[in-house]
Amino acid sequence: MRNAAARVFQRNPEVLREVTSSYERRRRAAARRAKAARDAAKPESAPAKGPGESPLLG
């Protein structure tokens, strides 16, 4: 039921805070911070090489 209420009131932050528990809000915030830290620590990937440029294919 809480998830349905959160979905219905997602555009009204004041009401959303009332229908969701503080535990759930803290848990989601911690997950967002962890994901942001993980993404910031991840090195930039190299651009994809074409099929003729692969060192394995010669």
Side-chain angles (χ1 to χ4, degrees):
M1 184 63 182
R2 285 184 185 267
N3 287 340
R7 177 76 175 145
V8 170
F9 295 111
Q10 70 183 7
R11 292 189 180 158
N12 298 317
E14 305 83 33
V15 177
L16 185 61
R17 273 185 228 107
E18 291 178 21
V19 299
T20 58
S21 71
S22 60
Y23 168 76
E24 290 173 347
R25 291 192 306 271
R26 285 192 308 265
R27 198 174 116 234
R28 284 193 306 268
R32 281 193 305 269
R33 284 192 298 271
K35 182 180 183 306
R38 229 181 9 255
D39 291 347
K42 191 183 305 183
E44 292 293 322
S45 61
K49 294 183 177 185
E53 299 177 22
S54 174
L56 299 176
L57 297 177

